[in-house]
Amino acid sequence: METDMQTPRVLITGGTSGLGLALVRELVVRGASVAFVARTAERVAAVAREHGAHGIVGDVAQKDDIHRIALQATGALGGLDVLVNNASDLGPTPLALLGDTECEDFERALVTNVLGPFRLTKALLGSLAASAREGRGSVVLNISSDAAVNAYGRWGAYGSSKSALAHMTRIWNEEMASQ
């Protein structure tokens, strides 16, 4: 796919519902070339058909999916200017007290909300840097939550993971600003 210098190339994780779907819709309407990732093949196909975006079936929590997602997105878009790490895991509902949260549920929140964005961003750093060198600019937007800064009972796994994501984002920003 050939894109011009004015058309942003955007990858959105968690693109079939909530904020991710709203971003897919809005960015396509505004003329962006959009790829999105989600876990459910049927839903990915429906959103891709409805909005004219490139759908990728994958799970950012699965280490083995990361490079495939990165390659499919950059291949479909011809590079990447913007990465929106939106996919997240709230944990099982009803939410449990932190002391009652299963270790596996806490781990799933950390893997989805912190390691997934870390791995995907790392896999796409070369494409994002190329975009910046070409004068297109590049942005990584990690979607967090007020639960990252406000302690809510029963939101322990999610809040802790989003807090880690927010802090990781600030660190990465500091490190990349000096590059």
Side-chain angles (χ1 to χ4, degrees):
M1 167 185 237
E2 190 173 319
T3 60
D4 64 48
M5 295 296 279
Q6 304 304 316
T7 305
R9 302 165 299 182
V10 182
L11 173 60
I12 302 166
T13 67
T16 59
S17 64
L19 177 61
L21 178 57
L23 288 170
V24 168
R25 286 178 178 148
E26 186 63 23
L27 289 169
V28 167
V29 166
R30 290 179 180 249
S33 294
V34 177
F36 66 93
V37 181
R39 295 176 299 190
T40 307
E42 298 79 20
R43 190 76 184 120
V44 167
V47 170
R49 229 181 1 262
E50 183 177 344
H51 299 290
H54 180 80
I56 300 168
V57 178
D59 184 349
V60 297
Q62 297 298 315
K63 182 180 179 182
D64 292 339
D65 284 4
I66 295 297
H67 284 94
R68 181 181 53 76
I69 291 168
L71 288 171
Q72 285 183 14
T74 56
L77 300 176
L80 189 67
D81 306 315
V82 179
L83 169 60
V84 180
N85 284 310
N86 170 68
S88 68
D89 187 285
L90 183 60
T93 54
L95 298 174
L97 295 171
L98 191 54
D100 293 335
T101 300
E102 297 294 329
C103 292
E104 293 79 11
D105 294 332
F106 194 85
E107 180 180 28
R108 175 74 184 183
L110 289 171
V111 169
T112 304
N113 301 344
V114 183
L115 284 177
F118 173 78
R119 288 176 176 143
L120 188 57
T121 303
K122 188 171 173 159
L124 289 165
L125 279 178
S127 295
L128 291 162
S131 177
R133 281 191 308 274
E134 293 167 1
R136 297 180 64 100
S138 65
V139 173
V140 176
L141 178 62
N142 290 325
I143 304 298
S144 188
S145 166
D146 66 329
V149 294
N150 297 307
Y152 298 126
R154 300 182 183 272
W155 288 74
Y158 181 78
S160 297
S161 65
K162 288 298 187 173
S163 182
L165 176 67
H167 196 66
M168 180 180 74
T169 302
R170 289 189 298 273
I171 292 168
W172 230 331
N173 187 56
E174 285 297 315
E175 292 176 352
M176 298 309 288
S178 65
Q179 304 264 331

